[in-house]
Amino acid sequence: RTLVERRDPGAALLPRLREQDFAALRGAFAGAAPEARALIDALADSAALYRGQSTDPYASNRDRAKLMKRAFMTRYVALAARQPQPRVLFHMGAYHVGRGRSPTDQYDVGNLAAELAESTGARSYHVLVLAAGGRVNRWLPFAPDAALKQADYDAHAELDPLGAGPLLDHALRGSWTLFDLAAMRDEPALRKAGGPAFDRLVFAYDAVVVIDVAQPARFFGD
């Protein structure tokens, strides 16, 4: 409530909790099921990650990547014990699911998936979905300006650091465009012409879907 009324993200509860708070919570749930205790541990890890974003972003992002990989492998190993070579679908942000080093300089869960697939004789397919224009919802509960729910979207400003600028320039107008990045990997001159970030993008993802006009997401209750 304080976060919303004061428009202060620092008032959010989770980053303000410290280890002694989670120790008390663990004590209160000492007799609970293992899944409940695991949730408390995950909350403690998340609190530390959010605090670290303001003090040591690299270490925080590193810990985040390790946490996601541990969570994935726990479930994957359990699934693999019941069926050989299980199929897995990831749905998350672009920085997390690419191959190789991410834009935040992490070897994230997407890279783990790629290596795991190859090591077991399977394959992974990485698809990046982007918007070339339209509007975006940038509003948060602590943001005072409700107009941010329909904010202008500058695709180049948002996506050039990711290396997607050349794809935006060649995307169709009035339609969606599918780019086969895998086909560009044996075209070094083409990759280099797009710049270092584009060169990395070609190997991080197998395909890119560019949506011509995106609509802003809506919060529940809007």
Side-chain angles (χ1 to χ4, degrees):
R1 181 177 177 179
T2 302
L3 178 149
V4 176
E5 291 179 348
R6 297 182 182 176
R7 313 293 186 186
D8 179 14
L13 176 61
L14 187 60
R16 299 175 65 188
L17 295 177
R18 296 298 189 266
E19 185 52 42
Q20 61 268 26
D21 300 308
F22 291 105
L25 194 58
R26 291 186 183 98
F29 285 85
E35 292 82 0
R37 298 196 298 272
L39 285 175
I40 296 173
D41 292 339
L43 283 172
D45 289 338
S46 297
L49 290 173
Y50 281 113
R51 290 195 300 270
Q53 281 294 305
S54 60
T55 57
D56 192 343
Y58 172 80
S60 175
N61 287 327
R62 176 69 179 140
D63 289 340
R64 185 194 307 274
K66 291 191 292 184
L67 179 61
M68 286 193 292
K69 288 188 281 190
R70 288 198 306 270
F72 166 67
M73 286 306 300
T74 297
R75 290 161 177 77
Y76 183 84
V77 169
L79 185 60
R82 301 195 300 271
Q83 63 181 82
Q85 207 169 68
R87 300 178 70 182
V88 180
L89 175 66
F90 292 83
H91 179 197
M92 57 179 61
Y95 280 21
H96 297 300
V97 293
R99 293 185 185 86
R101 195 176 71 187
S102 76
T104 55
D105 296 321
Q106 308 301 327
Y107 290 94
D108 221 306
V109 67
N111 187 68
L112 168 64
E115 295 293 342
L116 179 62
E118 288 194 0
S119 69
T120 58
R123 64 189 293 263
S124 62
Y125 193 75
H126 304 243
V127 181
L128 177 62
V129 180
L130 306 173
R135 291 181 174 273
V136 64
N137 190 340
R138 298 187 186 280
W139 186 84
L140 295 169
F142 49 79
D145 187 2
L148 292 173
K149 294 181 179 182
Q150 294 276 344
D152 290 332
Y153 181 70
D154 185 335
H156 272 288
E158 298 284 346
L159 301 175
D160 282 357
L162 189 62
L167 303 180
L168 299 177
D169 293 336
H170 289 86
L172 299 173
R173 299 294 181 264
S175 180
W176 293 17
T177 310
L178 173 64
F179 291 95
D180 182 4
L181 297 189
M184 302 180 189
R185 291 174 187 158
D186 60 355
E187 299 286 347
L190 177 64
R191 299 196 323 267
K192 300 299 181 184
F198 177 74
D199 187 47
R200 178 171 64 178
L201 187 75
V202 167
F203 288 96
Y205 297 92
D206 297 291
V208 174
V209 176
V210 178
I211 300 171
D212 57 330
V213 178
Q215 302 300 324
R218 294 177 60 186
F219 289 100
F220 291 114
D222 281 356

